[in-house]
Amino acid sequence: MEVIKGVGEMQEVSLHLKRAWKSIGLVPTMGYLHRGHLSLIEAARRENDIVIMSNFVNPLQFGPKEDFAAYPRDPDRDSKLAESAGVDYVFAPSGKEMYPENYSTHVEVKGPMVEKMCGRSRPGHFRGVTTVVLKLFIITQPDRAYFGQKDAQQAIIVRKMVTDLNVPLKIIACPIVRDADGLALSSRNIYLSSEERKQALTLPKALSAGKDMILNGETDPKRVQERIIKMLESSSGIRIDYVEVVNGDNLEELQAIKGKVLLAAAIYVGKTRLIDNIDLEV
């Protein structure tokens, strides 16, 4: 495995691989790898000749009051895990390498899918995501890019950008990986105290209760949403950011539960913001 820090060098390597007719799978990460990231690498390894993992904490997707400076980082550990999982190249640029002085170009998807859920709570977040992701696509030239289903809204927005801009690659959303207690894996889980982690478990339980309602025949999205909210409110340590029951393809509101459905929520447990979701076909 090789670690590459320069944009020009990574792009040169990628173009050389493409000229050799090698398929490339990209796993974009912000580092501090966990089993969820490793599952993306494993999927990329199965489906491509070459696997590139990016390791870059993107400042553009953090708001002024968010945890960019404190976001967990351990690049040496990340590289060891990446190599053991089968990564061929780690692209680990600096902030100045990605956004040099006088950088002024951004990529932004417009419309309701960006304005709700995390887009409403974190203004400008998805503009930062789509900007860095398109740069990574141009630099690494992947045939496929792998994202976690836990960030379902992000995957849907990136797929929309790729479609609108005719970017020649496939976006693949891989299943959520959970700890034994049901909590979705996240780099931010390390912020939780033992008591806060117990409280956080209400999130996957509430979403599962909503799913059970649908599987038992409930067709009113408002009733499912209310059930999830009620369960979350039963935990005194949780502050709700949002709870949504929406179309799983485009995040549009549902008049009735039918087709692909996404149950999604974001909460605060102490100072830690957690997201989770369940998608299903009805």
Side-chain angles (χ1 to χ4, degrees):
M1 190 189 77
E2 185 176 350
V3 178
I4 297 176
K5 297 186 177 182
V7 167
E9 182 184 356
M10 185 73 258
Q11 194 162 46
E12 184 178 349
V13 167
S14 300
L15 290 170
H16 175 77
L17 292 167
K18 297 298 284 187
R19 286 193 290 268
W21 297 99
K22 299 292 186 181
S23 61
I24 297 174
L26 172 68
V27 180
T29 83
M30 293 204 300
Y32 213 73
L33 303 187
H34 51 64
R35 285 187 291 111
H37 297 111
L38 298 182
S39 73
L40 305 183
I41 295 169
E42 289 162 4
R45 182 74 278 162
R46 288 193 300 269
E47 299 173 2
N48 303 276
D49 298 319
I50 300 294
V51 176
I52 300 174
M53 185 194 85
S54 63
N55 187 343
F56 177 63
V57 184
N58 176 35
L60 294 191
Q61 67 192 69
F62 288 78
K65 296 182 179 179
E66 294 182 334
D67 59 346
F68 173 72
Y71 194 84
R73 295 165 171 86
D74 193 340
D76 291 337
R77 171 182 168 275
D78 291 339
S79 291
K80 290 175 184 176
L81 287 171
E83 184 169 20
S84 67
V87 170
D88 297 293
Y89 298 93
V90 171
F91 178 48
S94 66
K96 289 183 179 179
E97 186 74 15
M98 288 292 280
Y99 305 116
E101 189 175 356
N102 297 321
Y103 183 89
S104 59
T105 301
H106 297 83
V107 180
E108 188 170 13
V109 175
K110 296 281 192 178
M113 72 169 57
V114 181
E115 296 164 358
K116 61 175 54 178
M117 296 165 58
C118 290
R120 182 176 61 244
S121 305
R122 306 177 68 187
H125 168 70
F126 286 117
R127 185 174 82 153
V129 169
T130 46
T131 297
V132 76
V133 166
L134 185 58
K135 283 176 68 70
L136 291 172
F137 291 167
I138 293 169
I139 293 164
T140 64
Q141 299 287 305
D143 298 274
R144 301 171 187 87
Y146 296 80
F147 293 82
Q149 176 63 26
K150 185 173 73 69
D151 297 294
Q153 185 177 16
Q154 172 179 274
I156 289 168
I157 290 170
V158 169
R159 190 175 284 117
K160 173 66 171 169
M161 176 191 72
V162 164
T163 300
D164 287 353
L165 298 182
N166 305 112
V167 184
L169 62 87
K170 184 176 181 180
I171 302 299
I172 298 173
C174 297
I176 295 172
V177 178
R178 301 181 181 276
D179 271 327
D181 59 9
L183 191 66
L185 295 184
S186 169
S187 299
R188 290 187 169 94
N189 288 354
I190 65 163
Y191 299 153
L192 298 170
S193 67
S194 58
E195 181 58 33
E196 286 172 342
R197 186 179 177 95
K198 292 177 184 177
Q199 295 167 345
L201 293 176
T202 307
L203 177 56
K205 291 176 182 176
L207 291 170
S208 292
K211 176 183 177 180
D212 289 343
M213 287 181 68
I214 294 171
L215 295 179
N216 287 326
E218 181 59 68
T219 59
D220 186 344
K222 292 297 183 185
R223 289 180 183 170
V224 176
Q225 181 186 41
E226 289 166 1
R227 171 65 171 153
I228 296 169
I229 290 172
K230 185 175 181 180
M231 282 193 67
L232 292 174
E233 288 178 339
S234 70
S235 176
S236 60
I238 288 177
R239 178 164 60 90
I240 298 174
D241 184 350
Y242 66 78
V243 173
E244 298 281 357
V245 180
V246 292
N247 183 295
D249 287 320
N250 53 28
L251 305 182
E252 291 180 358
E253 291 188 10
L254 295 170
Q255 298 304 312
I257 291 174
K258 185 178 180 181
K260 193 171 181 181
V261 181
L262 180 72
L263 315 181
I267 62 170
Y268 287 90
V269 183
K271 295 182 179 180
T272 304
R273 185 176 185 272
L274 301 174
I275 61 173
D276 199 353
N277 66 79
I278 291 177
D279 64 323
L280 65 158
E281 190 88 27
V282 180

